Amino acid sequence: MSDQMHPAAPHHLPFFVPGPDGSDTLMVVMGIFLVAVILWVGTLYWKLHSLPERMAHRTHKLQLEIVAVLGLISLFTHMHIFWIAGLLLAMIDLPDFSTPLRSIAGSVERIADAAPGAADAEPISDAAAPPGGKSGARGTAKEEVHSHA
């Protein structure tokens, strides 16, 4: 074979035509571009998928755990209705019933002079009771309640 070019061959080949050594630069560039686009689309998908959970976390919603579970269910089942339900639940503000109820329970415990989780105190014997008939410094809760009337 001769090293001379054929007279009908073009003298300048475009960059995307592979060389005689088999190196294809366009394929390498497109492979790197494809990997980068797949990583970018995957990151976009994860950010979009976690949108309801981030919305609920940012606004300190009470239903954060429910929204997170709905997001996981939609991720693993590929049923988008769970994601939509999580998004709607993250957007609405449910009323907080637990804080007023805890406040009421704490006030009732203070009125009843009972600490949460405290064991019942043993009654003081009559010999050790102070004069006046009340056992302890303040008496029992029933005596206090009846003494107010």
Side-chain angles (χ1 to χ4, degrees):
M1 284 228 190
S2 153
D3 287 340
Q4 294 179 2
M5 288 182 64
H6 191 274
H11 295 291
H12 174 70
L13 294 176
F15 74 96
F16 55 84
V17 176
D21 60 347
S23 64
D24 192 357
T25 55
L26 184 63
M27 185 182 75
V28 172
V29 169
M30 289 308 295
I32 293 170
F33 177 75
L34 181 66
V35 168
V37 166
I38 287 174
L39 290 175
W40 177 73
V41 168
T43 305
L44 179 69
Y45 175 75
W46 285 109
K47 284 196 177 283
L48 181 65
H49 183 74
S50 67
L51 178 70
E53 186 176 356
R54 286 186 288 130
M55 286 174 56
H57 183 67
R58 184 175 44 235
T59 56
H60 304 291
K61 301 278 186 183
L62 295 174
Q63 62 268 26
L64 173 65
E65 289 86 13
I66 298 170
V67 171
V69 168
L70 285 172
L72 285 174
I73 290 172
S74 72
L75 177 68
F76 292 125
T77 61
H78 300 290
M79 297 177 76
H80 303 297
I81 191 69
F82 292 115
W83 186 85
I84 294 169
L87 183 65
L88 291 175
L89 197 56
M91 286 184 174
I92 63 172
D93 193 18
L94 294 178
D96 182 18
F97 293 115
S98 63
T99 302
L101 289 177
R102 280 191 199 122
S103 175
I104 291 170
S107 298
V108 168
E109 285 177 353
R110 271 186 268 128
I111 289 172
D113 196 25
D120 293 336
E122 294 182 16
I124 300 175
S125 66
D126 292 334
K134 290 187 178 178
S135 61
R138 294 177 48 181
T140 62
K142 284 188 178 180
E143 290 174 354
E144 282 185 27
V145 172
H146 290 297
S147 67
H148 291 294

